[in-house]
Amino acid sequence: LPRPGHFSKASKNPYRVLGISQSASPREIYGTYKRRMRETERSGGSDKAFTDMGNAYRRIKGDMKRQEARKERRRIEQQHGRKNKKKSKRNKQRRSSSSDEESDAKS
């Protein structure tokens, strides 16, 4: 038996398994998944069909979550990168001013 989350060669493309385009919105993906599961259940579909559709849906959802996480991480890195640059400039100014004060005190 295949492990959960692993796909047979026939179901490599999860979008093809669900019968949707790759540009489908999350709402369309969910609606299509639910509709296909109901249709398969009514027609007495095989366990493999349910498994393949479930795996395909989970894979698409996982990809979408990872994509959102990447966007959020980039946004945070950009914000912190700007702040860190400002802080480092301030620290350089403080260091240079404190070293000037120390050299004046020694003189």
Side-chain angles (χ1 to χ4, degrees):
L1 291 171
R3 291 180 287 165
H6 286 73
F7 299 91
S8 65
K9 289 183 180 179
S11 61
K12 282 262 186 204
N13 186 343
Y15 293 94
R16 191 176 301 154
V17 172
L18 292 177
I20 55 175
S21 71
Q22 290 187 348
S23 61
S25 71
R27 189 175 215 166
E28 290 172 321
I29 293 168
Y30 180 75
T32 302
Y33 164 69
K34 286 298 202 180
R35 190 181 74 247
R36 296 278 315 267
M37 290 296 268
R38 275 193 308 267
E39 290 169 357
T40 304
E41 184 179 14
R42 287 181 189 150
S43 66
S46 68
D47 288 341
K48 185 177 180 335
F50 284 108
T51 304
D52 284 347
M53 281 189 280
N55 286 341
Y57 180 71
R58 279 192 292 279
R59 185 170 171 194
I60 291 171
K61 288 294 282 186
D63 290 346
M64 290 168 61
K65 285 181 182 180
R66 281 188 291 280
Q67 186 178 21
E68 287 298 316
R70 272 188 232 115
K71 285 180 185 177
E72 182 66 15
R73 200 171 23 241
R74 283 187 196 122
R75 186 187 65 77
I76 290 170
E77 286 173 355
Q78 287 175 348
Q79 282 181 339
H80 289 286
R82 288 185 194 130
K83 288 180 182 177
N84 289 339
K85 287 179 185 176
K86 288 178 183 176
K87 285 181 182 177
S88 64
K89 286 180 183 178
R90 287 184 196 145
N91 289 339
K92 286 179 185 177
Q93 290 171 349
R94 287 181 188 157
R95 282 189 215 131
S96 64
S97 65
S98 65
S99 63
D100 291 341
E101 291 171 4
E102 288 175 7
S103 63
D104 289 341
K106 290 180 182 178
S107 307

